[in-house]
Amino acid sequence: MQSPTSFLFVFLVLYLLSAFAHPGEGEDYLKVHKLPATLPYEDALSFAYYYQKCPEAEAIINQKVKEWINKDYTLAASLIRLHFHDCSVRGCDGSILLNHEGSERKADVSKTLRGFEVIDDIKAEIEKKCPKTVSCADILTAAARDATVSAGGPYWMVPYGRKDGLVSLAKEAQLVPMGHEDITSLVEFYQSKGLNVLDLAILSGAHTIGRASCGSIQDRLFNYSGTGKPDPSLDAQYLNYLKRKCRLSSDYVDLDATTPRTFDAEYYSNLPKKMGLLSTDEKLYTDSRTEPLVSALADQTSLFFYQFGVSMAKLGNVQCLLGNEGEIRTNCNFVDSKY
């Protein structure tokens, strides 16, 4: 006899195929998009990329991520967010890690990003074992996966072979969604990266852990749309709680009000209760394109876990530099030409 979760999974598959597939394209939204197998080994992402070049790479990344998160559990969400910011600008090329005047990392919108020291620590250890072999982009992608696992989330296979980018511009960091966009803008942004509406709903579920700065929600709490009043879509009790927590814009508040330290599907359960922290969270439930997905995912952790791994794998494949493109930095903070 089918379990409720199995039934819901089948329903979700059928829903996606009917609601989001474009006629003639035949895209399966529940499969990881793979690069053609006919590409040369050095010009394609591969699960076996470091098997001979640096077999210790994954173990080093995994161990270092665990060590850092054991000291500070909030770094799990920070590493996932850092990976998203990286892939959202020039693709997954480590451009967010470059630390020079005018880089993405120096942009005002990047001031709350964290986890750079984790990547630096991993890179330094890997350089001792396998000099100039493992890219910073690959390290960040795998670290986001291992951070998810450390927080209690799912595991997925990460293919490797990304090269590090040479360009990072602060003005381009403003392209990353900041939590106040409308759903149409978010859908268009995701589509520009080769992702779809399901990926939008699923990757938003990363807000099951982590925090946001109170400054990012001040308007919702005190001056929604210039009215001088709070956002009426917020639950009254939750609103009062947020006002107490966010007396200072420099303070932080949990993205998931109920289970902020547990990687689960409670984020989706909170949205119908009008307890989405960011306005983009709330809009996922009120927009007709994403509401059915939110309803299907609420309290269905196994379904969320499965698709989160799929969508994160797709995110990690966005606009990667391959082969002779880019470089492999010896220090993630600078392009090698600066040495």
Side-chain angles (χ1 to χ4, degrees):
M1 186 174 181
Q2 274 192 323
S3 68
T5 299
S6 299
F7 175 80
L8 187 56
F9 179 77
V10 172
F11 167 79
L12 182 57
V13 173
L14 294 175
Y15 173 82
L16 292 168
L17 290 176
S18 62
F20 299 129
H22 298 287
E25 291 184 6
E27 180 177 4
D28 184 345
Y29 287 93
L30 295 180
K31 288 184 179 178
V32 179
H33 289 229
K34 297 180 180 179
L35 295 172
T38 55
L39 289 175
Y41 177 73
E42 292 291 333
D43 293 335
L45 298 180
S46 167
F47 296 120
Y49 194 85
Y50 294 122
Y51 279 6
Q52 293 184 338
K53 295 180 176 184
C54 189
E56 305 101 325
E58 279 211 320
I60 292 172
I61 296 169
N62 180 265
Q63 184 58 39
K64 287 292 186 180
V65 168
K66 283 182 179 178
E67 289 175 4
W68 279 93
I69 292 176
N70 283 340
K71 291 185 290 185
D72 180 0
Y73 78 93
T74 66
L75 283 169
S78 296
L79 287 168
I80 297 170
R81 185 180 177 218
L82 194 59
H83 177 51
F84 181 81
H85 275 247
D86 183 40
C87 297
S88 292
V89 180
R90 289 180 166 265
C92 307
D93 67 345
S95 59
I96 192 61
L97 304 174
L98 289 174
N99 192 18
H100 60 75
E101 195 63 36
S103 68
E104 296 167 37
R105 182 170 171 175
K106 294 291 189 179
D108 286 343
V109 295
S110 301
K111 285 183 177 179
T112 57
L113 292 179
R114 301 169 63 239
F116 296 102
E117 69 276 22
V118 181
I119 305 303
D120 288 342
D121 188 25
I122 295 170
K123 179 62 172 174
E125 187 64 26
I126 287 181
E127 283 296 309
K128 294 177 187 176
K129 301 283 186 180
C130 318
K132 205 166 175 59
T133 301
V134 181
S135 70
C136 300
D138 276 348
I139 290 172
L140 180 53
T141 305
R145 187 269 313 277
D146 291 346
T148 301
V149 175
S150 292
Y155 174 92
W156 63 91
M157 293 284 287
V158 172
Y160 297 108
R162 299 165 190 80
K163 295 299 192 297
D164 296 321
L166 307 177
V167 178
S168 183
L169 303 175
K171 63 180 181 181
E172 294 184 348
Q174 298 175 23
L175 299 172
V176 183
M178 299 305 294
H180 51 74
E181 296 80 7
D182 57 53
I183 295 299
T184 296
S185 297
L186 291 177
V187 169
E188 291 174 350
F189 172 82
Y190 272 67
Q191 288 177 339
S192 73
K193 306 300 176 185
L195 305 173
N196 55 48
V197 177
L198 175 59
D199 298 315
L200 165 60
I202 291 293
L203 294 178
S204 297
H207 292 173
T208 180
I209 56 173
R211 304 176 300 170
S213 68
C214 287
S216 67
I217 60 168
Q218 290 289 300
D219 287 349
R220 287 198 81 192
L221 303 184
F222 303 108
N223 189 27
Y224 180 69
S225 295
T227 61
K229 298 178 180 180
D231 186 344
S233 69
L234 282 166
D235 173 77
Q237 191 172 1
Y238 185 46
L239 172 62
N240 289 334
Y241 164 78
L242 291 176
K243 283 183 174 180
R244 291 195 302 272
K245 288 284 290 184
C246 288
R247 291 190 177 95
L248 298 176
S249 62
S250 57
D251 287 339
Y252 287 84
V253 62
D254 293 320
L255 286 159
D256 180 343
T258 52
T259 57
R261 296 183 63 165
T262 305
F263 199 100
D264 56 23
E266 280 300 303
Y267 164 80
Y268 298 103
S269 299
N270 290 337
L271 301 187
K273 301 173 185 175
K274 300 183 178 182
M275 294 173 63
L277 182 67
L278 305 179
S279 62
T280 48
D281 296 327
E282 176 267 327
K283 289 170 185 173
L284 284 178
Y285 186 68
T286 58
D287 191 280
S288 60
R289 289 163 289 185
T290 49
E291 183 277 330
L293 300 174
V294 171
S295 297
L297 291 163
D299 296 320
Q300 295 293 333
T301 299
S302 60
L303 181 60
F304 169 50
F305 273 32
Y306 169 80
Q307 188 60 39
F308 190 79
V310 174
S311 293
M312 283 294 285
K314 287 177 65 178
L315 174 66
N317 292 351
V318 169
Q319 295 172 289
C320 297
L321 300 178
L322 304 170
N324 294 324
E325 300 175 307
E327 66 176 7
I328 296 175
R329 296 178 210 148
T330 52
N331 183 315
C332 294
N333 296 271
F334 312 101
V335 296
D336 274 12
S337 60
K338 289 190 177 183
Y339 282 85

